[in-house]
Amino acid sequence: MPPDRRSDDLLAVLRRGGDPCAITHVERLPRRLGVTASWPEWTPAAMVSALARKGIEAPWRHQAQTAELAHSGRHVVVSTGTASGKSLGYQLPVLSALLADPNANALYLSPTKALAVDQLASIESLGLSGIRPALYDGDTPIEERDWVRAHARWILTNPDMLHRGILPAHARWARVLRRLQFVVIDECHAYRGVFGSHVALVIRRLRRLARMYGSDPVFVLASATVADPAAAAQRLVGSPVAAVSHDSAPRSGADFVLWEPPVMADAEGENGAPVRRSAPNEAARMMADLVSAGARTLTFVRSRHGAEQTAMTTRRRLGDTDPDLVDRVAAYRGGYLPEERRELERALNSGSLLGVATTNALELGVDISGLDAALLAGYPGTLASVWQQAGRAGRGDQRALVVFVARDDPLDSYLVHHPEAVFGTPIEAAVTDPGNPYILGPHLACAAAEHRLTEEDLELFGDRARSVIDDLVLRKVLRARPAGWFHHETRHPADKVDLRGSGGGQIAIVELDTGRLLGTVDEARAPAAVHPGAVHLHRGQTYSVLDLDLAAGVALVQADRPEWSTIARSVSTVEITETQQQQGYSGPGEFVSARDTAGSGGREGLATGGRGQLPTGGIQVGLGRVRVTEQVVGYLRRRPGGELIDMVPLDMPEHVLDTRAVWYTITNEILAEAGILERDIPGALHAAEHAAIGLLPLFAGCDRWDIGGLSTNLHPDTGEPTVIVYDGYPGGAGFADRGHQVLVDWLTAVREAVRDCTCAAGCPSCVQSPKCGNGNQPLDKAGAVVVLDLVVNAMTAKLVALTG
């Protein structure tokens, strides 16, 4: 069969089974020949021979460039596409060093256990003597851990184990730390937001202890394609990093389809808004059609429950059309036993399974090849994940079929109508903020517990370290002595620091009938995540939340199978406590002033008391600190297809959050001149706010649930109509700062998403929000376009003026 024929046939299958108008774009990703390079002259002959036995006669150019930089002692990040062989780029220098020096050691950090297992198998398959690689994670038996500490030379672990198991017990790891030459950080784009900020500080603690033991390891990072990988890697490790980003690996090519499910004629959403067929249901129909055509298909969905439901729906459809194929479809997710996962992987690789619905558990770290098609049921959180999932399809020279199925959501809708955002220059950044005092403080306490902190250490932890240490001393977490700062408690504080948490307290999720601890959730997020009546998913099992006791730190749940999902709704007020950057425009296109107080260390407000009293008049753009008072007021219940059942009111306590925000203001006069009547201002701002929250994840690598917003026709701190978008974490997570950095591009995308949506007055694909505590009222879609036009045009005119 010609290489293009299979993909064309499968796309024809999808066209016949669905609405042809659902296809908004087909991108023909071209085939590409690989470009090789010579082996670096320092590569050991044993390694060249071992790679030749695996069929690798020469490295791709980007592999050789990465290896040369690392071998020369420079920190380096390789940022290339899925299946481009990034692992060889770090295996070459690390294995060469371990072969050359029998006392040298290395660490490998991965975000998932499966990826570490896969890397261990890759290293062992080379058959090189004396390397002694070993896993060290939560599943490692106690008796094996002693052997790893005493004998392993390349330890494959994860940030959580490094944080809790290695650094606090560094004296037992002295052998490794004393001769630590390399640290590999795989899939480093996964370390973003609060989690990434925690990991960045764990890395700084590692570097500090390594120096104490006399080593200074080289960091080699592997990343998917993102915007400015060197800057992201530097924020992660705390030192300059060189970037290798030109992908020289071959590609078989693919047809990448953007698909927007049709509007359902017999359903309507909130306030009568149109509702589209859900992405998982549409993907299940597609998978059934593709499996019937004999295509090996992988379908990615966003939740474990969704994976099970999608597989079940696919099997049900096949039961009506091709009963013999029902048993050749399965679900794959985290929470299965290891032997169950391995069996599913073998069945998928062998072809005995034709269709698998999965979470992102199959995105990384599992060797799967020969798939004909990949279906993505909704945006997986980052563009990097989009390409990781898409890269799972492809068989030799055979073109693959990839279909992105949009959810009823502003971001998904924007992507299917703006293919340049998917296939053009990367715009997504891995955002971290290791200087956040709420995150930095606990890690400084951990560092002091590992070894006293000194003035020389502060540079490694950033400009805010000294003020945070002063606060820790004031709260008696640390003690100041002439020799430095000491942690005086017997127990190491690492156990209290959740790398995936915000730095605050934790709420335990407990099963009522058994007393079993299912997990934890941040105290700040508990009212929205585990409120009474919430549907909670844990390892594929559905639970209903019976009670939330914030004072006791416990949420009680009971196993249940409700026929709906829940989404919390909240209302908030926002006080601007400090304005750190501000620009002003007197009207559309006319720049009048700019003020930046960030150079003062963020200590100066624009008015006494640190309040952000912005000058009135024109259009203002600001960035700074805010205090958010938020209250969950109810929750929506929706059926699996997306239909709204009802809204259940709640009376939850208020929660106060000190964080960071980006905002803009527009005077009533400018709005009136643009044709927005005074009575329409609240709806126009409200719609613009919702859409902005929906699109920021495309630029900041966050989730819409990581951020919040407020719009008002008269804000007490600005004196003007105002739209605010804030980080949903104490101290901020870097998302608002990223939004301010790319404000023109961000708001331009927001404007296009709202303007181009085909609905009449607003829907979930443009300006409606699933978490709006005001019931998505008032919303003025047309007014939002005018508001966004005003801000974008004013800022664009200023940029044009500055660049000549």
Side-chain angles (χ1 to χ4, degrees), residues 148 443 635 714 750 770:
V148 173
H443 283 281
Y635 62 94
L714 179 62
V750 174

Side-chain angles (χ1 to χ4, degrees), residues 460-620:
L460 189 61
F461 290 97
D463 296 338
R464 301 179 196 169
R466 184 56 186 264
S467 63
V468 173
I469 286 178
D470 291 342
D471 180 65
L472 292 173
V473 172
L474 189 64
R475 293 192 287 117
K476 299 183 179 179
V477 176
L478 300 183
R479 289 179 177 174
R481 295 291 185 267
W485 294 274
F486 293 78
H487 185 266
H488 57 87
E489 294 180 8
T490 304
R491 186 175 180 181
H492 197 286
D495 288 339
K496 301 178 182 177
V497 182
D498 179 7
L499 297 191
R500 289 162 178 79
S502 61
Q506 298 289 306
I507 300 296
I509 304 171
V510 177
E511 187 175 19
L512 177 65
D513 295 338
T514 64
R516 183 167 60 111
L517 177 66
L518 301 183
T520 61
V521 63
D522 284 354
E523 183 179 10
R525 293 183 165 267
V530 288
H531 57 76
V535 174
H536 176 72
L537 292 173
H538 176 73
R539 293 187 178 273
Q541 173 65 53
T542 307
Y543 297 83
S544 289
V545 180
L546 304 177
D547 183 57
L548 171 62
D549 188 334
L550 292 170
V554 175
L556 295 176
V557 302
Q558 189 172 53
D560 197 2
R561 294 189 66 84
E563 297 181 352
W564 56 80
S565 60
T566 56
I567 301 173
R569 297 210 130 168
S570 62
V571 295
S572 61
T573 59
V574 180
E575 174 190 358
I576 299 174
T577 56
E578 183 177 346
T579 301
Q580 295 174 319
Q581 293 190 43
Q582 173 196 340
Q583 284 114 6
Y585 311 84
S586 66
E590 187 176 350
F591 175 71
V592 292
S593 67
R595 180 168 184 176
D596 183 347
T597 63
S600 64
R603 300 177 185 273
E604 295 181 11
L606 293 182
T608 58
R611 293 286 299 275
Q613 299 288 346
L614 300 179
T616 58
I619 297 172
Q620 302 285 332

Side-chain angles (χ1 to χ4, degrees), residues 17-327:
D19 183 349
C21 296
I23 297 177
T24 62
H25 180 79
V26 178
E27 186 79 8
R28 301 275 293 183
L29 300 177
R31 287 186 187 81
R32 184 178 69 207
L33 297 176
V35 179
T36 60
S38 300
W39 292 111
E41 60 181 18
W42 43 261
T43 308
M47 191 168 179
V48 173
S49 299
L51 291 167
R53 288 193 296 270
K54 297 182 67 175
I56 302 173
E57 299 295 337
W60 305 122
R61 181 184 292 168
H62 66 270
Q63 294 171 329
Q65 291 172 338
T66 302
E68 289 281 16
L69 286 165
H71 181 77
S72 70
R74 293 185 64 184
H75 304 313
V76 58
V77 57
V78 53
S79 176
T80 53
T82 305
S84 58
K86 292 186 281 285
S87 59
L88 185 58
Y90 56 73
Q91 286 179 358
L92 272 175
V94 174
L95 292 173
S96 297
L98 297 183
L99 288 170
D101 181 356
N103 295 314
N105 301 302
L107 278 176
Y108 169 93
L109 302 177
S110 76
T112 67
K113 292 179 183 178
L115 184 55
V117 170
D118 187 60
Q119 283 301 309
L120 177 63
S122 174
I123 296 166
E124 290 180 333
S125 71
L126 295 173
L128 300 173
S129 62
I131 300 301
R132 300 198 298 273
L135 291 172
Y136 190 83
D137 58 30
D139 294 336
T140 306
I142 297 298
E143 59 273 15
E144 289 186 23
R145 296 185 184 194
D146 291 337
W147 184 91
V148 173
R149 281 189 291 265
H151 302 290
R153 299 183 59 214
W154 195 350
I155 295 100
L156 294 89
T157 186
N158 54 66
D160 303 270
M161 204 64 179
L162 180 62
H163 162 61
R164 284 197 168 104
I166 296 177
L167 299 183
H170 60 85
R172 303 181 69 186
W173 292 88
R175 178 193 67 86
V176 175
L177 294 170
R178 193 172 289 119
R179 299 298 297 271
L180 184 61
Q181 289 199 15
F182 286 98
V183 177
V184 175
I185 305 179
D186 208 354
E187 303 296 340
C188 66
H189 59 276
Y191 303 122
R192 61 187 190 276
V194 168
F195 179 43
S197 300
H198 276 293
V199 172
L201 292 165
V202 171
I203 296 302
R204 284 155 176 76
R205 287 164 50 201
L206 170 65
R207 293 183 62 192
R208 173 175 174 263
L209 289 176
R211 290 176 183 176
M212 189 180 82
Y213 281 94
S215 65
D216 190 10
V218 173
F219 283 80
V220 189
L221 303 93
S223 170
T225 305
V226 296
D228 203 352
Q234 179 171 337
R235 286 192 297 270
L236 195 59
V237 304
S239 288
V241 178
V244 175
S245 55
H246 184 75
D247 191 340
S248 56
R251 285 284 180 270
S252 61
D255 290 331
F256 201 129
V257 181
L258 303 182
W259 186 288
E260 185 173 43
V263 172
M264 295 187 292
D266 56 348
E268 65 177 34
E270 192 170 22
N271 304 324
V275 176
R276 295 187 181 277
R277 187 181 302 160
S278 76
N281 283 353
E282 189 82 334
R285 179 195 61 76
M286 290 180 177
M287 183 156 67
D289 291 345
L290 291 171
V291 167
S292 292
R296 295 169 63 186
T297 305
L298 195 59
T299 299
F300 288 95
V301 295
R302 287 174 58 95
S303 71
R304 292 174 172 179
H305 179 73
E308 299 279 7
Q309 189 68 39
T310 300
M312 185 173 66
T313 302
T314 302
R315 287 194 294 265
R316 187 168 59 243
R317 293 182 68 95
L318 287 171
D320 296 333
T321 59
D322 292 280
D324 292 341
L325 296 176
V326 170
D327 292 335

Side-chain angles (χ1 to χ4, degrees), residues 602-766:
R603 300 177 185 273
E604 295 181 11
L606 293 182
T608 58
R611 293 286 299 275
Q613 299 288 346
L614 300 179
T616 58
I619 297 172
Q620 302 285 332
V621 172
L623 174 72
R625 295 184 176 134
V626 297
R627 173 163 293 168
V628 179
T629 302
E630 191 170 34
Q631 182 180 26
V632 173
V633 295
Y635 62 94
L636 295 181
R637 298 194 302 166
R638 291 187 184 274
R639 300 194 190 281
E643 304 95 325
L644 176 66
I645 300 174
D646 58 13
M647 191 246 186
V648 180
L650 288 173
D651 184 18
M652 303 292 290
E654 290 184 341
H655 171 70
V656 177
L657 172 72
D658 289 309
T659 186
R660 295 182 61 77
V662 57
W663 62 86
Y664 60 83
T665 70
I666 311 177
T667 62
N668 286 290
E669 291 78 12
I670 289 178
L671 291 171
E673 290 173 6
I676 298 181
L677 302 177
E678 185 175 357
R679 67 172 183 268
D680 297 328
I681 292 175
L685 298 177
H686 195 195
E689 172 220 330
H690 280 183
I693 291 172
L695 266 292
L696 183 55
L698 182 62
F699 297 86
C702 60
D703 189 273
R704 71 180 301 161
W705 301 95
D706 293 329
I707 51 181
L710 175 103
S711 58
T712 174
N713 62 330
L714 179 62
H715 194 281
D717 295 327
T718 66
E720 302 289 357
T722 303
V723 172
I724 301 174
V725 175
Y726 58 83
D727 288 359
Y729 294 92
F735 304 136
D737 290 77
R738 173 64 176 170
H740 183 264
Q741 180 185 350
V742 296
L743 190 62
V744 172
D745 292 338
W746 170 30
L747 294 186
T748 298
V750 174
R751 177 184 62 184
E752 292 174 357
V754 178
R755 182 191 62 202
D756 297 345
C757 185
T758 57
C759 72
C763 70
S765 289
C766 59

